[in-house]
Amino acid sequence: MQNKLFLYNSLSRKKEEFIPLNFPFVGMYVCGPTVYGDAHLGHARPAITFDLLFRYFKHLNYKVRYVRNITDVGHLENDADQGEDKIGKKARLEKLEPMEVVQYFSDRYHVEMNKLNVLTPSIEPRASGHIIEQIEMTKKILEAGYAYEINGSVYFDVEKYNKKYNYGKLSGRVLEDLIANTRELDGQSEKRSSFDFALWKKASPEHIMKWPSPWSLGFPGWHLECSAMGHKYLGEKFDIHGGGMDLLFPHHECEIAQNTVAVGENSVKYWIHNNMITINGQKMGKSLGNFITLDDLFNGTNKVLEKDYTPMTIRFFILQAHYRSTLDFSNEALQAAEKGLTRLMKGVSTLNKIKPSANGTFNPAELKKNCYDAMNDDMNSPIVIAHLFDALKTINAIDAGTENIDEKNLEILKDIYNTFLFDILGLKNDNQVTGNNEILKDVVDMVLNLRLQAKANKDYATSDYIRNELTKIGITVKDKKDGFEWEL
C-alpha cells in the first residue's frame, strides 16, 4: 500500500504530497450552493468530489473538520458587484421573506445530497449568520491600506495589492492584460478600477437584505463571505479550500487577496477544483434549454432525458471520471453507468454468497494495493473502479468453481469491496433488500418456499407460474441444489 497521498494543488499547478498543517487534524473548506433554486447536475459534482475526499481522509484516520457553506446573501446577478441579489430577487418575485427562500431550497438541497449519499459536513455555516465577522475582516483590510470606502461601499484595491502580492497567482491571469482587454462596465464608475471588488455594498432603498455597518446600511460582498467563515471555523491557516473550476476566477482569486491582506499570508495550503459537467458537449445553462435538476434526473421529468436515473447511477457516473476532467452528460453515458453499476453490485452479491475452500489459489493483496495506489494518486476514482471491475472475473471464476479462495483471503476480498466501493466511493446498492424492505424479503422467501413445495409435488405448472410472475415484477430466481437464491 502506498503511504503517501498526492493531491493536485491549483495554486502550484502540480501534484503535491498532502501533509496536514496540524496532524492528524485536517481543515477543509468547500464553497457550497447559492440556495435560490433547486440543486442541479452541476451541484452534484463538487458535492461528490469533496465527499470522496472527506470519506478518504476519514478512512485514513485523519480528524477532519469539513466546512461547506450556504450562500444566502451577497451573490449578485452578474457576479460583478452589480445587479440584484439572487435570493432577494426570488423573494421579491414570489412575495416571500428571503430566509423562506433560503430555508426551502436548503432543505431541498439536503434531501438531494442525502439521496446521492453525500455525507453531512462537519459545519454548514450561512453567510447571513456571519455579518459581524465580515465587517471585522473589512476593517482589517481597510486598516492595512488595501481597500477604500466611497459612497458607503467598501472596495478592495486590486491594483495596489498586485504591486506587492501578484493578483492572479491562482488563475494564472495577468492583471495588466485583463485591464487592457476589458471595457469599463456601466454602473461601476464609483470604483477606481473595474477589477476592484466589493467587500461591503451600500444597499439601495429597495434592497431587502441589509445590515448596519460603520460605512452604511448594506450587505457583504460575495467573495468576503468564504474568507470570513473559513477563518472562523478553520483558523487563519488551514489545509484545503475547494470548489468548482468556475469559482477559481474571480471568487477564489479574490479570497486569496483578502486573506493575504487580513492575516499577512495566503491562508490555504492546497487549492482543489473539480472540473465542469457539459451536456452533449455544451455548457449546462437555463438559456440553452439543457438545464437539468437532480429532481428531473431522479424522476425523468426533463425533455432531454430518455428515462429516470437512480441517485447511485448519477454518483457512479460522476465517479467514473477523474474529478479534474470535463465530464460530458448524455443519456448514453448515464445508461452505460447504470449497466456498469448493476454489474458491480451483482458481483458483490455473488461475492457475499461464495463459500471458501480449504486451499485457495487467489490472493487479493495486489488488488488492495492497486486500489490504494489509485486513491493516493490524486483521488483517481475511475482507476479504482477499473480495478474492482477487473476483479469481478475472478469472483465469477470462484463462483463457477474454476478458481478457489480460502477463508482468510475471501474475507480480505470482501473487505476490499466494502471499503472501496461502499465506504470510500460512497456507493450503495439501490436494489439491496435491507432495513424497511425486510418485509419484502420475508414475503418473497415465503412464495419461493411454496414454489419448492410445488416442485416437490411435481406441480410444475404452479412452480413455473410463480417463477414467471416474480420475473415480471423484477425478481430473478436462481435454483440451487440446496434451495434457491433471488435478487431484485
Side-chain angles (χ1 to χ4, degrees):
M1 182 177 112
Q2 183 176 325
N3 294 318
K4 296 180 179 179
L5 168 63
F6 287 85
L7 297 172
Y8 184 87
N9 190 344
S10 297
L11 190 60
S12 64
R13 298 177 187 80
K14 64 181 181 181
K15 292 179 189 176
E16 295 181 7
E17 182 184 353
F18 178 74
I19 302 173
L21 291 167
N22 299 295
F23 180 86
F25 176 81
V26 174
M28 181 167 73
Y29 188 98
V30 175
C31 292
T34 302
V35 285
Y36 67 100
D38 280 332
H40 53 73
L41 189 57
H43 287 127
R45 193 168 198 193
I48 289 170
T49 295
F50 292 99
D51 182 62
L52 175 66
L53 187 54
F54 185 31
R55 287 170 176 273
Y56 195 52
F57 279 148
K58 290 173 71 174
H59 173 73
L60 296 176
N61 293 318
Y62 288 118
K63 182 176 176 59
V64 190
R65 181 175 295 163
Y66 174 20
V67 181
R68 185 186 68 203
N69 76 292
I70 291 286
T71 298
D72 62 353
V73 64
H75 197 167
L76 306 186
E77 289 178 289
N78 66 3
D79 296 344
D81 301 331
Q82 296 297 317
E84 196 170 358
D85 185 288
K86 293 179 179 182
I87 289 168
K89 181 179 180 179
K90 185 82 171 179
R92 177 178 58 78
L93 291 174
E94 300 194 10
K95 295 182 172 54
L96 297 169
E97 281 290 325
M99 289 303 117
E100 283 184 275
V101 174
V102 170
Q103 192 65 51
Y104 177 78
F105 287 112
S106 293
D107 288 346
R108 287 176 69 84
Y109 175 78
H110 292 143
V111 168
E112 305 296 24
M113 293 303 106
N114 186 55
K115 289 177 183 176
L116 291 168
N117 203 26
V118 170
L119 298 177
T120 303
S122 313
I123 303 172
E124 190 175 59
R126 291 184 181 182
S128 63
H130 298 79
I131 301 298
I132 293 172
E133 289 86 353
Q134 293 171 78
I135 289 173
E136 290 304 308
M137 194 167 189
T138 300
K139 287 179 182 178
K140 284 184 179 181
I141 296 171
L142 274 166
E143 289 167 5
Y146 287 92
Y148 56 92
E149 185 266 331
I150 185 166
N151 298 330
S153 293
V154 181
Y155 294 100
F156 190 95
D157 192 332
V158 173
E159 289 194 74
K160 183 174 181 179
Y161 171 85
N162 186 60
K163 290 176 182 176
K164 182 176 180 180
Y165 294 108
N166 179 23
Y167 180 82
K169 65 170 73 174
L170 180 65
S171 61
R173 305 190 187 201
V174 178
L175 184 62
E176 290 75 12
D177 293 342
L178 290 171
I179 293 172
N181 292 293
T182 305
R183 63 181 177 85
E184 193 75 22
L185 298 176
D186 293 338
Q188 291 187 332
S189 57
E190 71 177 11
K191 294 183 185 182
R192 293 177 184 172
S193 166
S194 61
F195 286 94
D196 293 349
F197 56 89
L199 301 173
W200 186 265
K201 284 283 287 183
K202 181 180 179 180
S204 58
E206 66 274 11
H207 199 94
I208 301 175
M209 290 183 283
K210 46 196 170 188
W211 293 264
S213 78
W215 315 287
S216 65
L217 190 64
F219 55 93
W222 172 39
H223 310 308
L224 188 67
E225 299 170 358
C226 291
S227 289
M229 289 185 285
H231 287 179
K232 179 177 178 64
Y233 295 109
L234 298 174
E236 293 185 346
K237 286 280 289 182
F238 58 92
D239 296 294
I240 291 173
H241 195 320
M245 192 70 73
D246 56 324
L247 298 178
L248 194 146
F249 184 89
H251 185 48
H252 289 165
E253 197 74 75
C254 293
E255 278 194 66
I256 286 179
Q258 292 165 163
N259 295 344
T260 300
V261 170
V263 305
E265 60 180 330
N266 173 30
S267 295
V268 181
K269 188 174 181 182
Y270 305 91
W271 287 86
I272 297 176
H273 295 88
N274 64 273
N275 216 321
M276 299 295 98
I277 292 181
T278 57
I279 298 181
N280 295 320
Q282 286 186 308
K283 181 181 177 181
M284 185 174 69
K286 289 181 180 178
S287 61
L288 296 172
N290 61 1
F291 185 83
I292 305 176
T293 68
L294 292 174
D295 189 62
D296 286 338
L297 283 162
F298 301 154
N299 294 290
T301 52
N302 187 297
K303 64 182 180 181
V304 306
L305 298 171
E306 294 178 1
K307 62 187 290 293
D308 60 301
Y309 300 97
T310 68
M312 285 303 100
T313 296
I314 304 304
R315 186 175 180 106
F316 187 65
F317 165 69
I318 288 172
L319 290 170
Q320 276 187 306
H322 190 270
Y323 77 91
R324 286 194 290 111
S325 65
T326 303
L327 178 58
D328 190 52
F329 163 91
S330 68
N331 281 283
E332 293 78 13
L334 274 184
Q335 287 163 27
E338 187 175 59
K339 290 178 182 176
L341 180 59
T342 299
R343 185 178 156 215
L344 265 177
M345 292 304 173
K346 187 175 181 181
V348 172
S349 179
T350 301
L351 174 61
N352 289 330
K353 295 168 186 173
I354 287 174
K355 291 183 170 50
S357 303
N359 297 303
T361 56
F362 177 70
N363 186 333
E366 185 177 0
L367 172 64
K368 184 175 182 178
K369 179 183 182 302
N370 288 340
C371 288
Y372 274 112
D373 285 348
M375 280 303 300
N376 288 333
D377 184 17
D378 196 27
M379 297 195 300
N380 205 326
S381 60
I383 298 300
V384 174
I385 291 169
H387 289 312
L388 295 176
F389 266 123
D390 285 344
L392 292 182
K393 299 170 189 173
T394 301
I395 291 171
N396 291 330
I398 296 169
D399 184 52
T402 57
E403 191 161 350
N404 298 319
I405 188 168
D406 59 35
E407 185 174 3
K408 178 183 176 182
N409 283 317
L410 177 60
E411 290 308 310
I412 292 172
L413 185 58
K414 288 180 180 179
D415 183 65
I416 290 169
Y417 275 87
N418 287 331
T419 297
F420 286 95
L421 195 62
F422 301 125
D423 295 344
I424 295 173
L425 296 180
L427 293 162
K428 296 190 297 185
N429 191 341
D430 283 322
N431 294 324
Q432 197 170 23
V433 183
T434 57
N436 293 332
N437 288 329
E438 276 299 320
I439 293 174
L440 173 62
K441 180 180 184 301
D442 291 342
V443 170
V444 175
D445 284 347
M446 179 186 69
V447 171
L448 287 174
N449 279 318
L450 290 173
R451 179 173 175 263
L452 284 179
Q453 289 179 20
K455 288 178 71 176
N457 295 330
K458 297 185 179 180
D459 182 1
Y460 299 116
T462 300
S463 171
D464 290 345
Y465 174 79
I466 291 173
R467 181 179 188 133
N468 292 339
E469 289 303 305
L470 288 174
T471 301
K472 285 179 184 178
I473 62 174
I475 295 174
T476 302
V477 179
K478 182 187 288 187
D479 291 318
K480 307 282 283 187
K481 288 181 180 179
D482 55 350
F484 56 80
E485 290 179 357
W486 65 272
E487 63 182 3
L488 287 170

